[in-house]
Amino acid sequence: FDPHSMGEDELLDVCDENGQLTGVVKPRKDIHKAGDWHQAVHVWIVSKKQCSVLLQQRVWTKKLYPGRFDISSAGHVQAGQTPLE
């Protein structure tokens, strides 16, 4: 974990529409601004027994959708890493 890699300046690999890496690396803010494809990981916590999904409430300081309910956990895949890392 590198705390300096988080945020708008974290570097992400650009992918094509098939999820293949293009060899281009950009800061997160530039990828989002351009609408480039990139990798992300979502974790869903599901209870079959209770037929429910665990959600979290986003903090009010988030840039997008503050205070809204969201999936259990999510994040971007850092440049040079794989989704399983």
mmCIF file of all heavy atoms in Angstrom, residues 12-26 31 35-40:
data_model
loop_
_atom_site.group_PDB
_atom_site.id
_atom_site.type_symbol
_atom_site.label_atom_id
_atom_site.label_comp_id
_atom_site.label_asym_id
_atom_site.label_seq_id
_atom_site.Cartn_x
_atom_site.Cartn_y
_atom_site.Cartn_z
ATOM 1 N N LEU A 12 -3.016 4.873 -13.522
ATOM 2 C CA LEU A 12 -3.806 3.728 -13.945
ATOM 3 C C LEU A 12 -3.444 3.361 -15.376
ATOM 4 O O LEU A 12 -3.097 4.222 -16.185
ATOM 5 C CB LEU A 12 -5.299 4.059 -13.879
ATOM 6 C CG LEU A 12 -5.839 4.595 -12.553
ATOM 7 C CD1 LEU A 12 -7.318 4.932 -12.695
ATOM 8 C CD2 LEU A 12 -5.603 3.620 -11.431
ATOM 9 N N ASP A 13 -3.548 2.066 -15.678
ATOM 10 C CA ASP A 13 -3.353 1.592 -17.048
ATOM 11 C C ASP A 13 -4.617 1.857 -17.856
ATOM 12 O O ASP A 13 -5.725 1.626 -17.378
ATOM 13 C CB ASP A 13 -3.086 0.082 -17.058
ATOM 14 C CG ASP A 13 -1.736 -0.287 -16.488
ATOM 15 O OD1 ASP A 13 -0.740 0.326 -16.903
ATOM 16 O OD2 ASP A 13 -1.679 -1.194 -15.633
ATOM 17 N N VAL A 14 -4.452 2.325 -19.085
ATOM 18 C CA VAL A 14 -5.574 2.504 -20.003
ATOM 19 C C VAL A 14 -5.802 1.170 -20.718
ATOM 20 O O VAL A 14 -4.852 0.521 -21.147
ATOM 21 C CB VAL A 14 -5.283 3.623 -21.026
ATOM 22 C CG1 VAL A 14 -6.422 3.743 -22.030
ATOM 23 C CG2 VAL A 14 -5.066 4.948 -20.308
ATOM 24 N N CYS A 15 -7.070 0.770 -20.833
ATOM 25 C CA CYS A 15 -7.450 -0.464 -21.522
ATOM 26 C C CYS A 15 -8.261 -0.118 -22.763
ATOM 27 O O CYS A 15 -8.800 0.977 -22.878
ATOM 28 C CB CYS A 15 -8.326 -1.331 -20.613
ATOM 29 S SG CYS A 15 -7.522 -1.821 -19.101
ATOM 30 N N ASP A 16 -8.371 -1.095 -23.661
ATOM 31 C CA ASP A 16 -9.284 -0.917 -24.785
ATOM 32 C C ASP A 16 -10.665 -1.441 -24.368
ATOM 33 O O ASP A 16 -10.850 -1.871 -23.225
ATOM 34 C CB ASP A 16 -8.764 -1.594 -26.059
ATOM 35 C CG ASP A 16 -8.674 -3.117 -25.963
ATOM 36 O OD1 ASP A 16 -9.307 -3.732 -25.081
ATOM 37 O OD2 ASP A 16 -7.954 -3.696 -26.795
ATOM 38 N N GLU A 17 -11.623 -1.398 -25.289
ATOM 39 C CA GLU A 17 -12.998 -1.792 -24.949
ATOM 40 C C GLU A 17 -13.132 -3.277 -24.621
ATOM 41 O O GLU A 17 -14.145 -3.699 -24.066
ATOM 42 C CB GLU A 17 -13.978 -1.415 -26.077
ATOM 43 C CG GLU A 17 -13.689 -2.093 -27.395
ATOM 44 C CD GLU A 17 -12.658 -1.371 -28.253
ATOM 45 O OE1 GLU A 17 -12.114 -0.335 -27.830
ATOM 46 O OE2 GLU A 17 -12.383 -1.870 -29.358
ATOM 47 N N ASN A 18 -12.077 -4.058 -24.893
ATOM 48 C CA ASN A 18 -12.074 -5.486 -24.557
ATOM 49 C C ASN A 18 -11.314 -5.786 -23.273
ATOM 50 O O ASN A 18 -11.109 -6.943 -22.927
ATOM 51 C CB ASN A 18 -11.476 -6.298 -25.715
ATOM 52 C CG ASN A 18 -12.317 -6.168 -26.963
ATOM 53 O OD1 ASN A 18 -13.530 -6.361 -26.925
ATOM 54 N ND2 ASN A 18 -11.689 -5.823 -28.068
ATOM 55 N N GLY A 19 -10.864 -4.739 -22.594
ATOM 56 C CA GLY A 19 -10.143 -4.916 -21.337
ATOM 57 C C GLY A 19 -8.665 -5.215 -21.495
ATOM 58 O O GLY A 19 -7.977 -5.515 -20.524
ATOM 59 N N GLN A 20 -8.156 -5.111 -22.716
ATOM 60 C CA GLN A 20 -6.734 -5.359 -22.968
ATOM 61 C C GLN A 20 -5.936 -4.082 -22.701
ATOM 62 O O GLN A 20 -6.341 -3.002 -23.109
ATOM 63 C CB GLN A 20 -6.527 -5.811 -24.421
ATOM 64 C CG GLN A 20 -7.260 -7.096 -24.772
ATOM 65 C CD GLN A 20 -6.816 -8.265 -23.918
ATOM 66 O OE1 GLN A 20 -5.628 -8.529 -23.764
ATOM 67 N NE2 GLN A 20 -7.773 -8.969 -23.351
ATOM 68 N N LEU A 21 -4.803 -4.227 -22.019
ATOM 69 C CA LEU A 21 -3.960 -3.075 -21.730
ATOM 70 C C LEU A 21 -3.398 -2.494 -23.022
ATOM 71 O O LEU A 21 -2.989 -3.237 -23.915
ATOM 72 C CB LEU A 21 -2.819 -3.477 -20.799
ATOM 73 C CG LEU A 21 -3.231 -4.034 -19.432
ATOM 74 C CD1 LEU A 21 -1.990 -4.409 -18.633
ATOM 75 C CD2 LEU A 21 -4.084 -3.043 -18.671
ATOM 76 N N THR A 22 -3.377 -1.174 -23.107
ATOM 77 C CA THR A 22 -2.889 -0.490 -24.307
ATOM 78 C C THR A 22 -1.424 -0.098 -24.200
ATOM 79 O O THR A 22 -0.830 0.303 -25.195
ATOM 80 C CB THR A 22 -3.704 0.789 -24.573
ATOM 81 O OG1 THR A 22 -3.491 1.692 -23.472
ATOM 82 C CG2 THR A 22 -5.178 0.484 -24.742
ATOM 83 N N GLY A 23 -0.857 -0.161 -23.000
ATOM 84 C CA GLY A 23 0.514 0.295 -22.788
ATOM 85 C C GLY A 23 0.592 1.759 -22.381
ATOM 86 O O GLY A 23 1.663 2.270 -22.108
ATOM 87 N N VAL A 24 -0.566 2.420 -22.325
ATOM 88 C CA VAL A 24 -0.634 3.832 -21.923
ATOM 89 C C VAL A 24 -0.976 3.900 -20.434
ATOM 90 O O VAL A 24 -1.843 3.173 -19.960
ATOM 91 C CB VAL A 24 -1.697 4.588 -22.746
ATOM 92 C CG1 VAL A 24 -1.833 6.022 -22.266
ATOM 93 C CG2 VAL A 24 -1.356 4.537 -24.226
ATOM 94 N N VAL A 25 -0.285 4.748 -19.714
ATOM 95 C CA VAL A 25 -0.538 4.976 -18.290
ATOM 96 C C VAL A 25 -0.860 6.452 -18.118
ATOM 97 O O VAL A 25 -0.173 7.311 -18.666
ATOM 98 C CB VAL A 25 0.686 4.594 -17.432
ATOM 99 C CG1 VAL A 25 0.474 4.954 -15.973
ATOM 100 C CG2 VAL A 25 1.006 3.117 -17.590
ATOM 101 N N LYS A 26 -1.928 6.741 -17.365
ATOM 102 C CA LYS A 26 -2.334 8.131 -17.127
ATOM 103 C C LYS A 26 -2.763 8.314 -15.673
ATOM 104 O O LYS A 26 -3.195 7.355 -15.027
ATOM 105 C CB LYS A 26 -3.551 8.501 -17.983
ATOM 106 C CG LYS A 26 -3.341 8.565 -19.459
ATOM 107 C CD LYS A 26 -4.656 9.012 -20.107
ATOM 108 C CE LYS A 26 -4.606 9.150 -21.591
ATOM 109 N NZ LYS A 26 -5.895 9.599 -22.139
ATOM 110 N N ILE A 31 -7.771 10.023 -16.954
ATOM 111 C CA ILE A 31 -8.533 8.887 -17.481
ATOM 112 C C ILE A 31 -10.028 9.165 -17.363
ATOM 113 O O ILE A 31 -10.794 8.953 -18.305
ATOM 114 C CB ILE A 31 -8.144 7.583 -16.755
ATOM 115 C CG1 ILE A 31 -6.800 7.103 -17.284
ATOM 116 C CG2 ILE A 31 -9.214 6.515 -16.923
ATOM 117 C CD1 ILE A 31 -6.322 5.793 -16.719
ATOM 118 N N GLY A 35 -12.646 9.742 -20.369
ATOM 119 C CA GLY A 35 -13.569 8.613 -20.518
ATOM 120 C C GLY A 35 -12.875 7.339 -20.967
ATOM 121 O O GLY A 35 -13.503 6.456 -21.560
ATOM 122 N N ASP A 36 -11.575 7.234 -20.661
ATOM 123 C CA ASP A 36 -10.818 6.041 -21.050
ATOM 124 C C ASP A 36 -11.252 4.824 -20.238
ATOM 125 O O ASP A 36 -11.604 4.936 -19.059
ATOM 126 C CB ASP A 36 -9.314 6.253 -20.802
ATOM 127 C CG ASP A 36 -8.709 7.307 -21.705
ATOM 128 O OD1 ASP A 36 -9.131 7.408 -22.870
ATOM 129 O OD2 ASP A 36 -7.803 8.023 -21.236
ATOM 130 N N TRP A 37 -11.188 3.659 -20.882
ATOM 131 C CA TRP A 37 -11.423 2.404 -20.183
ATOM 132 C C TRP A 37 -10.261 2.157 -19.235
ATOM 133 O O TRP A 37 -9.104 2.454 -19.552
ATOM 134 C CB TRP A 37 -11.497 1.246 -21.187
ATOM 135 C CG TRP A 37 -12.699 1.273 -22.064
ATOM 136 C CD1 TRP A 37 -12.802 1.819 -23.311
ATOM 137 C CD2 TRP A 37 -13.981 0.731 -21.771
ATOM 138 N NE1 TRP A 37 -14.054 1.636 -23.812
ATOM 139 C CE2 TRP A 37 -14.810 0.971 -22.884
ATOM 140 C CE3 TRP A 37 -14.517 0.051 -20.686
ATOM 141 C CZ2 TRP A 37 -16.130 0.563 -22.938
ATOM 142 C CZ3 TRP A 37 -15.824 -0.360 -20.744
ATOM 143 C CH2 TRP A 37 -16.624 -0.093 -21.844
ATOM 144 N N HIS A 38 -10.552 1.613 -18.054
ATOM 145 C CA HIS A 38 -9.526 1.269 -17.077
ATOM 146 C C HIS A 38 -10.079 0.188 -16.157
ATOM 147 O O HIS A 38 -11.276 -0.072 -16.145
ATOM 148 C CB HIS A 38 -9.085 2.498 -16.280
ATOM 149 C CG HIS A 38 -10.200 3.197 -15.574
ATOM 150 N ND1 HIS A 38 -11.101 3.996 -16.239
ATOM 151 C CD2 HIS A 38 -10.557 3.223 -14.279
ATOM 152 C CE1 HIS A 38 -11.975 4.488 -15.362
ATOM 153 N NE2 HIS A 38 -11.669 4.018 -14.171
ATOM 154 N N GLN A 39 -9.198 -0.455 -15.401
ATOM 155 C CA GLN A 39 -9.602 -1.562 -14.551
ATOM 156 C C GLN A 39 -10.012 -1.083 -13.166
ATOM 157 O O GLN A 39 -9.408 -0.174 -12.603
ATOM 158 C CB GLN A 39 -8.467 -2.570 -14.411
ATOM 159 C CG GLN A 39 -8.092 -3.234 -15.719
ATOM 160 C CD GLN A 39 -6.940 -4.197 -15.547
ATOM 161 O OE1 GLN A 39 -6.000 -3.948 -14.796
ATOM 162 N NE2 GLN A 39 -7.016 -5.318 -16.245
ATOM 163 N N ALA A 40 -11.029 -1.739 -12.643
ATOM 164 C CA ALA A 40 -11.482 -1.491 -11.278
ATOM 165 C C ALA A 40 -11.926 -2.828 -10.684
ATOM 166 O O ALA A 40 -12.210 -3.776 -11.414
ATOM 167 C CB ALA A 40 -12.635 -0.494 -11.256
#
